[in-house]
Amino acid sequence: MEIQSTLRLSMLLSVAAGALLASSQVGAQEDGVIFEEIVVTAQKRAQDIMEVPVAVSAVTGEQIEEAGIKDVFDLQQNVAGLIIGQSQTATTTNFSIRGIGSTANNFGVESSVGLYVDGVYRSRQSSMINDLVDVEAVEVLRGPQGTLFGKNTPAGAIHIRTVAPSSERDAFVDVTAGDRGFVRVSAAANIPVNDNLAFRGTLFSSQRDGYVDDLNLGNDLYNDRNRFGGRLQMMYEPSDTFNLRIIADYAEIDEVCCVANSNTDGLVSRLNFMDPGSDAALLQFGGTIFTDFLYPPPVVTFLNSLVPPGSGGGVMTGVGFDDYLVAYNFAPESKNDDSGLSVEFNKDFGDAVTLTSITAYRAFNTDDLIDGDFTNVDLLTRTNVADQSSISQEFRLAGEFGSGSNYVFGAYYFAQEIDQVTATIGTPLMEVYLTNLPDFQNVIAGVDGVAALAGAPYQPAGAPFLSGVQSQDVITQTHDGWAVFGQVDFAFSDDWILTLGGRFTDETKDIDAAYTQNTPALVPPPDFAGIALELCILTACDPGVPAFDPARLADPAVFGTY
């Protein structure tokens, strides 16, 4: 348990009750208990949560503080149906609501859960995982929200509202310490210049050791925390009918993240213990394989006999998924930084009509280093470097009419550019490992058999993974999109409201991707022009091209030596 302070600990008993009331609090008194009103902006206007006909959960800043919620991962414990997970790196964090979400491994895909901070859309899911500090509320909306949000949100939306500058002077400093070397420092100050102008600054830093041990590299190493950031705001409100808010923010993550530990090994078939699997091949290179399956002792003895003497590898029994123990040949790295600038103004025209404009620029950069084979055998290394920048503009008109009826109409524009380079590099052991896999041996034998029967120009199977082979993906994407949306609530009575909404979206993505695989020092890269010519000949795309010659398939000048 992380020890925060005597005051915080004394309030823990009230947190559970507060969480139960979060979805049913109203401004009323019943049986001597006062229920606090929770105001949400799920429908683009301030409303009591009990009056919102949307499946929404709201966690206030006070509840976040009392429950010790540090980030969105902790938020899952307070919001039903919200799942936030990580895979190989912090960059691949993904959000889902009610079990529906989108992968974060592909930078060309935006989340189906709309992610917003102070009304600004975040296209990169991992830009949301830093600490929740100086937050007014977090709203989680379930189900499609496209008629109220600029970006389509088929699975739902998460909206984080930070504390805005105000005319009252206030400040806080919070220091939290706990086990595993956890230290979190946060601070904020509100500085009013006069009745119309105020500034607010927020800073935070968070460090913690990991909770996953590496058999070779050390304990409490993986899935650590190393984060910091800040936010500077200005609020200008010259009259009751106009306000302007400017927000600049920066956040950074530099962590040893993340690990993948298996709950099922691949040593041998568990049906007859006679068929070796891929993990048995790793043992021959000094690999360490963890298992909690009760293999017969003779099987374990045989498997350990495959391990080279003095390598330190072998089968470790009695180690389950929840033991958080792995063995890598190097610690992964996950770094990213997220920054942005937004300008929002609200202009009231009377008769409950308000025009809102939100203009924003955001940048997100990530740099990851991954032990691609997730073992202590040096087979694969993967690097990923990506840069993303975006601009967005939203105009929204909201108002009321009749007796309790209201409307929201908006127009939204979003554009982004993404540059990504991913490289997967194999070591000399990779080819030997592949040729030791029984299934791979069967494939090679099949290719060799076909080549022997067909004769020239067909050749036997080549080396499955030449030493130093590198697979590299270089991807550039430009994204342009706009949308118009609107929703009208017709109140026929206090108990009967008819809601009509719609949206139109137009998005264009241009992607330039080059996928290459070669060994720069040993093997010349393929002649892509020659390959295109051969495909053209094969498919008769141009009657003037010479006839197809099968012997050309074996020409190294065209296809390299693969």
Side-chain angles (χ1 to χ4, degrees):
M1 178 181 65
E2 293 166 357
I3 302 174
Q4 299 186 19
S5 68
T6 304
L7 176 61
R8 296 271 181 89
L9 288 175
S10 68
M11 299 173 68
L12 289 179
L13 293 178
S14 66
V15 172
L20 292 175
L21 296 175
S23 62
S24 61
Q25 290 174 325
V26 296
Q29 181 170 343
E30 181 179 348
D31 297 331
V33 179
I34 298 177
F35 294 86
E36 178 188 0
E37 180 184 44
I38 292 183
V39 176
V40 297
T41 59
Q43 296 196 112
K44 302 297 184 179
R45 59 186 183 276
Q47 293 176 287
D48 184 339
I49 193 172
M50 294 300 294
E51 299 176 357
V52 179
V54 176
V56 55
S57 294
V59 183
T60 66
E62 183 178 351
Q63 291 171 337
I64 289 174
E65 185 176 310
E66 292 176 350
I69 297 173
K70 300 178 292 298
D71 52 30
V72 290
F73 296 104
D74 294 339
L75 193 66
Q76 298 176 91
Q77 312 304 319
N78 294 67
V79 179
L82 175 62
I83 301 175
I84 306 168
Q86 289 179 329
S87 52
Q88 296 100 340
T89 65
T91 306
T92 53
T93 302
N94 62 285
F95 289 73
S96 64
I97 295 177
R98 293 174 172 170
I100 302 175
S102 302
T103 177
N105 292 284
N106 187 338
F107 255 45
V109 177
E110 284 74 52
S111 174
S112 57
V113 176
L115 305 173
Y116 295 83
V117 179
D118 292 323
V120 177
Y121 176 69
R122 302 287 184 93
S123 64
R124 300 273 63 84
Q125 301 186 60
S126 51
S127 68
M128 297 282 287
I129 66 175
N130 225 307
D131 284 15
L132 294 174
V133 175
D134 206 21
V135 170
E136 180 182 355
V138 179
E139 301 172 14
V140 179
L141 292 74
R142 302 174 182 84
Q145 308 294 328
T147 60
L148 287 170
F149 286 82
K151 287 290 287 182
N152 200 15
T153 52
I158 299 174
H159 187 201
I160 298 176
R161 290 186 284 124
T162 63
V163 177
S166 65
S167 58
E168 296 185 5
R169 190 177 300 274
D170 69 78
F172 73 84
V173 176
D174 182 53
V175 180
T176 305
D179 58 355
R180 300 190 183 278
F182 176 71
V183 176
R184 183 178 189 241
V185 179
S186 59
N190 191 81
I191 305 173
V193 178
N194 51 47
D195 292 340
N196 301 326
L197 180 64
F199 292 88
R200 188 175 187 87
T202 305
L203 294 172
F204 63 86
S205 175
S206 178
Q207 286 83 34
R208 191 206 66 204
D209 296 335
Y211 58 85
V212 179
D213 300 337
D214 190 299
L215 185 66
N216 303 313
L217 301 180
N219 296 330
D220 298 336
L221 184 60
Y222 302 127
N223 291 12
D224 68 335
R225 288 287 183 268
N226 184 18
R227 306 174 176 182
F228 73 91
R231 185 167 55 247
L232 181 63
Q233 303 183 65
M234 184 196 80
M235 177 71 81
Y236 177 59
E237 193 169 0
S239 67
D240 294 337
T241 61
F242 179 83
N243 62 70
L244 174 70
R245 183 182 182 187
I246 301 176
I247 307 174
D249 65 274
Y250 177 84
E252 186 172 305
I253 293 177
D254 183 0
E255 298 176 348
V256 185
C257 179
C258 305
V259 297
N261 53 336
S262 302
N263 56 0
T264 302
D265 65 81
L267 288 167
V268 295
S269 168
R270 295 184 180 180
L271 297 177
N272 55 23
F273 303 126
M274 298 298 293
D275 297 327
S278 57
D279 284 347
L282 287 172
L283 291 174
Q284 301 177 56
F285 305 102
T288 301
I289 306 300
F290 304 100
T291 182
D292 60 353
F293 186 76
L294 297 177
Y295 287 108
V299 174
V300 177
T301 301
F302 166 72
L303 291 171
N304 282 329
S305 70
L306 303 175
V307 181
S311 66
V315 178
M316 292 195 63
T317 59
V319 180
F321 179 83
D322 294 333
D323 289 315
Y324 299 119
L325 179 63
V326 298
Y328 289 177
N329 52 282
F330 68 86
E333 299 176 6
S334 188
K335 304 176 183 178
N336 66 61
D337 60 79
D338 176 64
S339 59
L341 176 68
S342 66
V343 179
E344 174 185 350
F345 75 77
N346 297 276
K347 172 62 177 177
D348 294 335
F349 293 99
D351 297 326
V353 177
T354 302
L355 173 66
T356 299
S357 170
I358 303 177
T359 308
Y361 168 82
R362 299 217 59 83
F364 180 81
N365 307 298
T366 184
D367 188 349
D368 302 313
L369 175 64
I370 308 168
D371 184 357
D373 52 83
F374 297 103
T375 70
N376 60 337
V377 180
D378 190 10
L379 300 178
L380 284 176
T381 299
R382 188 171 192 181
T383 62
N384 178 69
V385 178
D387 300 321
Q388 181 266 353
S389 61
S390 65
I391 59 172
S392 62
Q393 173 64 58
E394 179 176 0
F395 291 108
R396 192 171 63 245
L397 189 67
E400 299 178 359
F401 64 96
S403 178
S405 299
N406 56 76
Y407 61 86
V408 175
F409 296 107
Y412 183 81
Y413 174 77
F414 177 80
Q416 69 174 340
E417 293 184 359
I418 301 175
D419 296 306
Q420 181 179 13
V421 178
T422 301
T424 304
I425 305 169
T427 70
L429 283 180
M430 190 64 188
E431 180 182 350
V432 185
Y433 167 71
L434 289 174
T435 55
N436 275 272
L437 296 177
D439 290 341
F440 209 92
Q441 293 172 357
N442 294 335
V443 172
I444 294 175
V447 173
D448 291 346
V450 171
L453 291 174
Y458 301 99
Q459 301 181 6
F465 207 103
L466 293 173
S467 176
V469 161
Q470 173 175 309
S471 174
Q472 182 169 279
D473 307 336
V474 180
I475 304 173
T476 300
Q477 173 185 295
T478 57
H479 177 190
D480 228 16
W482 59 272
V484 290
F485 57 93
Q487 179 172 300
V488 181
D489 294 335
F490 296 95
F492 296 101
S493 68
D494 292 339
D495 302 320
W496 184 22
I497 298 177
L498 174 64
T499 299
L500 299 176
R503 70 176 289 112
F504 177 84
T505 300
D506 182 279
E507 292 198 359
T508 302
K509 291 187 178 183
D510 294 322
I511 300 176
D512 183 2
Y515 303 94
T516 59
Q517 179 176 318
N518 62 357
T519 45
L522 302 177
V523 180
D527 179 2
F528 290 107
I531 293 175
L533 175 61
E534 296 303 321
L535 291 176
C536 183
I537 294 173
L538 183 62
T539 58
C541 67
D542 186 346
V545 175
F548 173 64
D549 181 4
R552 291 273 293 165
L553 292 174
D555 186 355
V558 177
F559 288 97
T561 57
Y562 293 96

